[in-house]
Amino acid sequence: MELRQLKQALVLAETLNFHRAAEQLNMTQPPLSTSIKKLEEELGILLFERLPSGLRLTQAGDAVLRNARSALFFVEEMRRAARESEAGDHGQLRVGFVGSAAFALMPAILRSFRQRYPHVELILEEGDGGALLDRLQAHELDVALVRHPIPSAPNLQLTLLQQEPLALAVRHDSVLASKATLTLAELADQPFIISSAQRSPAMHALTLRAFEEAGIEPHIAQQAAQLSTILGLVESGLGIALVPTSAARYVGPELRVIALSGLSSRLLSGIALVMQTESHSAAARNFREHALQVVAP
């Protein structure tokens, strides 16, 4: 049984005339008669009674063609969904993000994307960088915004969106809070709160590299996964922390963010968009393009 046979049978049911049906189908009458006869033989029933006055749809034929209409409708819906999926206009897009991306970058990208693709359902999931990369590898996410640099990630495509230097977060009443700038060497005796090696490997590695270049062995008081948690621990007085410079825009009155001098140009923190190298969707490609447009200026 072929879809074309179902379409032919439906047109014939509407006209009840082989000649008129063949004209509508842009074919000649003999191939149409042969096609309908083969369909009836395959189904084991008569769809049409051949009468001297013309054709009449049988009771069994009426039941079959009602289902044929439904089948052709769903086939067309499947084709439409496939076209829309290929264009990235519809469907779902699973987006993972680290907490620090939610401050400004993520909202800007989402506004642009939702205006351009209002029929794409965005499923947003916050997590730490290591877990988000694992979920991308497992195809549980389509794209993710994570801290950069990231460890080597096979089968993942990385697009760097933002880069910024590191700064120092301290409590407002710390003896360091009045300083305009500081060097890491001046902070060798301070307790530090740093990113978790397992859950935020990019920032953890970047922080340790900064200490190494400054020639100090820091006292690490606590590790945490998210920037918001780190800032909260600094506010509690547990220690100080290296954070992206942009954190200064989002801290409360209890914290100060101080510039660090003497850092090499390699010590830059960033946000990268990561997605599957080959198996990504059209919606994921569209999301990356909009992200690049947002950060282009």
Side-chain angles (χ1 to χ4, degrees), residues 56-90:
R56 183 170 66 192
L57 188 64
T58 67
Q59 186 175 356
D62 182 61
V64 167
L65 294 181
R66 281 202 306 271
N67 285 285
R69 288 187 186 92
S70 297
L72 291 172
F73 169 79
F74 286 115
V75 167
E76 186 54 38
E77 283 295 290
M78 183 175 62
R79 287 174 174 161
R80 181 186 60 79
R83 290 193 299 268
E84 291 172 347
S85 176
E86 183 63 24
D89 292 332
H90 287 68

Side-chain angles (χ1 to χ4, degrees), residues 193-229:
I193 301 160
I194 71 170
S195 298
S196 164
Q198 290 74 35
R199 301 179 61 186
S200 187
M203 278 300 293
H204 180 85
L206 188 65
T207 302
L208 293 187
R209 190 183 309 155
F211 293 143
E212 181 181 359
E213 291 193 6
I216 65 173
E217 293 186 13
H219 165 50
I220 297 174
Q222 183 64 46
Q223 295 190 29
Q226 297 286 3
L227 177 60
S228 57
T229 305

